[in-house]
Amino acid sequence: MGYGWQFKYWWRWWVSLSLLYGSVSSFQQPNMVFIMVDDMGWNDVSWHGSNQIPTPNLDTLATRGVVLQQYYSEAICTPARTALLTGKYPMRTGMHGSPLTNSEDRGIPVTERLLPAYLKELGYCTHLVGKWHVGMSRKQYLPLSRGYDTHYGMRGGFIDFYTHDKVEEFPDGRQFYGLDFFDDDIPQDEEERYSVDALTDRAITIIQNHNGSCPLFLHLAHNTPHAGNEGGLLQPPLYSPVRSHHIANSNRRLYAEMVNHLDKSVGRLVTALAEKGIFENTLIVFVSDNGAPTVGQFNNWGVNLPFRGKKQTPWEGAVRVPAFIYHPSLKPKVWRGLMHITDWLPTLLAAAGGEIKKEIDGLNQWDSIVKDGKSKRKDVLISLDDSGGPNVYAAYRMGDYKIIVGNVSGLSNGYYGANYMTNKAPLPDYFSTIRSCEVARILEAYGIYLDYDEVNKMRKASAIQQLDKVRDLTPCEPTPTKGCLYNVLQDPSESHDLWNRGAKINAVLTSKLRELWSMQLRRGPSVRDERSNPANFGYRWIPWLNDTELDGNQTTTSQNGIDSRTPFLVSSSNGAVTEKSFDSVVGCDHTTGFSNFLCQLTSSF
């Protein structure tokens, strides 16, 4: 590849450097590329310290950007994407708990305004490439109705990487199956490319054709390294050699091929930005939607160690995920501020020169990240699942402390994947791998060279440190009479339960969690709709309901009969409306189920 473009755009590089540091009075809105991958574990990227699966292009951006070391997502797909797009905890919109199935009539309520709609108000051209997974039963739930100018990709949770079909099995064993790959409303029946390549190619085309009259917001939501349908969980690119010969476990080696291909696709994307001349003013965000499902249904052999648990659990392995933000003006660092996926909406709006004026759960972290300041966030609702199954649980963090309560029996509550980390041959040399990658060559064209000591320093700082050396003989699991309490700053592996010694902390966290629980927009079990059968539509998953039919989300109320979309407002005798706490409105004497359990915990302190 030639680099004749580098001199033409050199001055823009220095303008972008000065914009965030205040030496230029004018403001230039950055382009934004938001990359969300699917089911990637903490230990599946090499900037966190492991050399087993090299991710050189990602590492180059991460070690030259800001690594978000205490970043929390949601525990599974639909809640994570809902939180990103609304800036709200998904329990406020009925989108928490179990993820959407393709045959389910549910979506982010149309009363909610989403991130791309806010950016469009600021002049952005908005594009979604890849996975949606927040509503597909009606056209009003689809991306083009929610603020995106274009959408290319899948509408549901996952597809086959080769056929682009989704197979959905009903409880009685019947299967619905059909194509879930669209260019706006047009089914891509003839698409034959590997899904990662098809999505990357479209993202590059969008960059190449971008009109500079509007800043670009490109939301690239890959389906990798999520597993495929049951018949083929691990689906690396066809007709290419399986490398990673040093990895002992065969399945882990196939998984590594998927991650390697993803990393190369990021290199291609950054090259396209550079050749277009907009890389120097593009904000690049990389996150996973949740942790890896190391074991169990749709397992992909990803590894979340040193964290406990896996996808769809309340443990750190489900919600502490790889994340970084890159812009040439940002000083490389590991930012240790507490951040949640809901924070992206106000943070990206602030980076674009805007702000959100209504109350949401997300907090604007832009200045804190840019200036290496303290996080604006003091607490985070980590997980809340009340979707009708046997496991009803919640997790909440305030400061350094995290509480887990409820029923997690039968979930994956252990530590998984240590055996997958075994290598049978010497590992590839890390620094020569990163120095020769595509993104590193692009930075060198701008006069930015990777330094061995600086890269190693960033990797060391990005690694998780287990400061509490005490390990319980039997890891704590919450029971009907007690929860689990951890200092996750000292004990990120959640291996030393403090519940019996932390009565005051338990009381504060449980009370706050009970208040949040009362605010949820309750949802029941997932309901499959027979009318969704792709066989009725030429074996394609398309909307099967019109927009005027009743939407269950708009009639759902909280457990205690209080509309959980609003604060607790109570009219006084003079007609004035005042906000009351949960305790003063509901109390603990008439509650049932899990809310009653939370009350019992609080009363025991």
Side-chain angles (χ1 to χ4, degrees):
M1 165 184 153
Y3 292 102
W5 42 266
Q6 68 211 51
F7 302 106
K8 180 179 179 181
Y9 297 108
W10 180 266
W11 66 274
R12 287 190 187 175
W13 178 271
W14 290 109
V15 169
S16 68
L17 283 172
S18 57
L19 283 175
L20 268 72
Y21 290 115
S23 61
V24 175
S25 58
S26 61
F27 173 75
Q28 184 183 7
Q29 290 177 308
N31 301 297
M32 299 180 185
V33 175
F34 194 100
I35 305 171
M36 176 176 274
V37 298
D38 208 343
D39 288 8
M40 175 179 274
W42 182 270
N43 225 327
D44 298 337
V45 293
S46 50
W47 81 77
H48 283 158
S50 171
N51 291 350
Q52 189 189 50
I53 303 180
T55 49
N57 289 289
L58 290 171
D59 283 33
T60 301
L61 293 172
T63 58
R64 293 298 308 176
V66 178
V67 173
L68 307 174
Q69 210 228 22
Q70 290 201 81
Y71 173 79
Y72 281 86
S73 189
E74 293 285 325
I76 200 164
C77 320
T78 295
R81 293 159 206 278
T82 299
L84 168 68
L85 293 169
T86 64
K88 296 180 179 181
Y89 293 138
M91 61 89 176
R92 299 194 189 277
T93 58
M95 299 295 284
H96 54 305
S98 299
L100 275 168
T101 62
N102 280 28
S103 58
E104 190 176 352
D105 178 27
R106 186 161 59 96
I108 296 178
V110 295
T111 52
E112 294 293 331
R113 202 139 174 252
L114 305 188
L115 172 61
Y118 286 109
L119 289 172
K120 280 181 71 69
E121 270 196 352
L122 296 175
Y124 277 77
C125 296
T126 58
H127 305 274
L128 172 62
V129 177
K131 178 173 172 176
W132 178 235
H133 205 194
V134 288
M136 58 183 290
S137 59
R138 309 159 185 264
K139 282 193 174 183
Q140 64 182 357
Y141 287 152
L142 297 181
L144 298 187
S145 300
R146 308 309 297 267
Y148 289 102
D149 294 324
T150 67
H151 174 225
Y152 179 82
M154 61 289 281
R155 296 167 174 174
F158 62 91
I159 58 172
D160 185 277
F161 286 66
Y162 314 128
T163 68
H164 314 110
D165 286 358
K166 165 68 185 296
V167 179
E168 191 158 293
E169 185 163 329
F170 279 57
D172 61 6
R174 290 178 302 140
Q175 290 186 337
F176 285 3
Y177 43 87
L179 179 79
D180 185 7
F181 208 79
F182 296 84
D183 189 348
D184 293 341
D185 292 328
I186 303 172
Q188 298 301 285
D189 297 298
E190 305 302 319
E191 180 57 70
E192 296 180 345
R193 288 171 293 178
Y194 184 63
S195 64
V196 176
D197 294 336
L199 298 178
T200 304
D201 290 347
R202 174 54 62 94
I204 289 172
T205 298
I206 289 171
I207 292 168
Q208 292 171 338
N209 296 335
H210 177 63
N211 186 336
S213 62
C214 64
L216 171 68
F217 176 66
L218 173 57
H219 180 183
L220 176 56
H222 276 296
N223 63 317
T224 197
H226 194 292
N229 293 308
E230 286 281 9
L233 294 179
L234 287 172
Q235 297 186 322
L238 291 172
Y239 313 119
S240 62
V242 179
R243 292 167 289 265
S244 302
H245 299 280
H246 57 282
I247 298 177
N249 183 278
S250 178
N251 289 321
R252 178 70 172 171
R253 187 175 166 190
L254 292 174
Y255 178 80
E257 284 303 298
M258 297 175 71
V259 174
N260 288 336
H261 198 73
L262 167 68
D263 181 78
K264 290 177 181 177
S265 78
V266 172
R268 293 180 57 209
L269 195 73
V270 171
T271 297
L273 291 168
E275 291 180 339
K276 181 68 175 179
I278 60 175
F279 172 63
E280 64 280 359
N281 189 35
T282 295
L283 196 66
I284 300 175
V285 175
F286 180 90
V287 298
S288 181
D289 61 345
N290 45 252
T294 312
V295 296
Q297 187 181 34
F298 297 116
N299 62 308
N300 66 355
W301 288 267
V303 176
N304 306 309
L305 295 174
F307 298 128
R308 182 178 175 184
K310 69 174 185 68
K311 173 182 177 178
Q312 205 171 5
T313 70
W315 309 106
E316 296 286 274
V319 290
R320 289 280 292 275
V321 297
F324 68 76
I325 182 169
Y326 173 86
H327 189 277
S329 62
L330 294 173
K331 182 180 178 181
K333 57 182 173 284
V334 175
W335 190 61
R336 302 183 189 279
L338 184 61
M339 185 172 181
H340 185 248
I341 188 171
T342 55
D343 297 342
W344 284 119
L345 190 149
T347 299
L348 294 179
L349 289 183
E355 63 178 330
I356 185 165
K357 298 181 180 179
K358 70 177 185 178
E359 186 174 348
I360 59 173
D361 296 301
L363 299 172
N364 173 14
Q365 304 275 23
W366 182 242
D367 285 344
S368 298
I369 293 172
V370 170
K371 299 175 182 178
D372 199 16
K374 291 184 178 180
S375 171
K376 301 292 180 62
R377 179 171 289 281
K378 306 300 180 185
D379 67 343
V380 59
L381 177 61
I382 292 172
S383 181
L384 190 156
D385 194 325
D386 186 24
S387 51
N391 297 112
V392 179
Y393 56 81
Y396 171 73
R397 176 176 172 177
M398 178 182 287
D400 297 344
Y401 290 91
K402 174 184 174 181
I403 189 174
I404 304 101
V405 295
N407 176 19
V408 300
S409 177
L411 297 181
S412 299
N413 301 311
Y415 301 87
Y416 308 100
N419 53 325
Y420 300 158
M421 300 300 295
T422 302
N423 299 303
K424 62 183 180 181
L427 298 171
D429 181 71
Y430 175 77
F431 195 66
S432 63
T433 301
I434 190 174
R435 277 288 305 270
S436 61
C437 76
E438 202 158 356
V439 175
R441 292 199 298 268
I442 288 169
L443 290 183
E444 288 177 1
Y446 285 107
I448 307 296
Y449 294 88
L450 295 177
D451 179 83
Y452 179 86
D453 292 332
E454 290 178 359
V455 169
N456 279 342
K457 182 179 179 181
M458 281 286 289
R459 294 181 79 205
K460 185 176 181 179
S462 300
I464 296 298
Q465 301 296 323
Q466 179 72 20
L467 302 178
D468 185 343
K469 304 301 182 182
V470 178
R471 297 185 70 91
D472 299 330
L473 292 177
T474 302
C476 175
E477 293 184 19
T479 71
T481 58
K482 71 176 287 290
C484 302
L485 175 71
Y486 301 98
N487 181 328
V488 289
L489 193 66
Q490 301 287 322
D491 178 26
S493 68
E494 296 171 299
S495 57
H496 183 201
D497 176 37
L498 304 174
W499 182 273
N500 293 331
R501 293 188 293 161
K504 291 183 179 179
I505 299 172
N506 294 341
V508 172
L509 270 63
T510 303
S511 178
K512 180 61 177 177
L513 183 52
R514 180 160 50 86
E515 183 178 347
L516 286 165
W517 184 272
S518 74
M519 296 178 182
Q520 68 169 307
L521 186 63
R522 292 293 302 276
R523 52 156 299 197
S526 299
V527 178
R528 309 291 184 90
D529 192 335
E530 300 274 351
R531 295 169 293 179
S532 66
N533 192 346
N536 298 328
F537 309 102
Y539 291 94
R540 306 180 185 104
W541 288 100
I542 67 173
W544 65 93
L545 297 173
N546 65 57
D547 293 345
T548 59
E549 296 181 58
L550 180 65
D551 178 358
N553 275 335
Q554 298 177 12
T555 60
T556 307
T557 57
S558 72
Q559 177 171 335
N560 297 286
I562 298 171
D563 188 338
S564 56
R565 289 169 294 176
T566 61
F568 294 107
L569 301 177
V570 179
S571 297
S572 63
S573 58
N574 63 3
V577 177
T578 58
E579 185 172 336
K580 299 289 185 180
S581 70
F582 170 70
D583 287 349
S584 63
V585 176
V586 179
C588 281
D589 52 344
H590 299 298
T591 56
T592 60
F594 189 71
S595 187
N596 178 255
F597 165 65
L598 290 171
C599 289
Q600 290 178 20
L601 286 179
T602 304
S603 64
S604 66
F605 301 130

